[in-house]
Amino acid sequence: MRVFLVEDIQRMRGLLTDLFASMGGFRVVAAASTEAEANLWLEEHKGGWDLAIVDLVLDQGAGMNVIRRCKGDPNGGAIAVFSSYATPGVRQHCIDLGADEVFDKSETERFIAWCGDLSARENSGP
C-alpha cells in the first residue's frame, strides 16, 4: 500500500516510516509537513496513494483541509487521522469531512491494528 504522510514533526514522520517498513506491505511514497505541501502533492499525484495519514496541527495550515483534498480525489485511498487532538468532537468532524478513522497518538496499538486490517482487506481483493 502506498502511504502519504502528512505530519509536521520530523521525528514522528521517521517513526511512522519505520513502522510501515516493519509491517510489510506498506511503502511511504511521500511526506508533507504543511497543508500547502500536502495539497500540492495530492494535486500532482491524483490516485497516487492508498492510505493518507494526516495530523491535524501542521507547521502551516491544518489537516482538516488536507482531509477535504484527499476526499476530493476519486482515485484516492483510505484516510486516517493520527493526531494528539482527537477529542470526541474533533473525531466526529474528521469523519464528517471524509476520514475513514481517527486515532489519538496515544492509541498506537489500535492504529497499527487498523492499518494491518486495511492492508489485509486490500490484499485479499474482491
Side-chain angles (χ1 to χ4, degrees):
M1 292 190 75
R2 299 165 298 168
V3 179
F4 176 46
L5 291 178
V6 183
E7 168 63 61
D8 60 331
I9 300 171
Q10 185 173 355
R11 179 168 160 69
M12 181 59 73
R13 277 196 316 267
L15 289 170
L16 287 168
T17 299
D18 291 348
L19 169 69
F20 286 119
S22 72
M23 289 176 70
F26 292 91
R27 179 173 51 96
V28 175
V29 293
S33 61
T34 68
E35 178 185 333
E37 286 175 0
N39 288 337
L40 179 62
W41 189 88
L42 288 164
E43 183 64 31
E44 293 177 347
H45 299 87
K46 287 185 165 93
W49 54 279
D50 303 307
L51 174 60
I53 306 297
V54 181
D55 188 10
L56 295 177
V57 179
L58 303 172
D59 276 343
Q60 297 173 352
M64 300 277 188
N65 296 324
V66 176
I67 296 168
R68 281 189 195 99
R69 180 61 67 101
C70 287
K71 200 62 185 171
D73 182 347
N75 298 313
I79 305 162
V81 172
F82 192 60
S83 176
S84 298
Y85 300 94
T87 64
V90 168
R91 283 179 196 267
Q92 188 57 55
H93 187 62
C94 291
I95 297 295
D96 292 346
L97 289 173
D100 294 286
E101 188 58 84
V102 180
F103 302 91
D104 187 271
K105 287 184 177 173
S106 67
E107 300 177 297
T108 308
E109 287 183 19
R110 191 169 77 84
F111 172 72
I112 292 169
W114 183 84
C115 290
D117 289 346
L118 181 67
S119 177
R121 285 193 308 269
E122 289 288 319
N123 290 329
S124 66

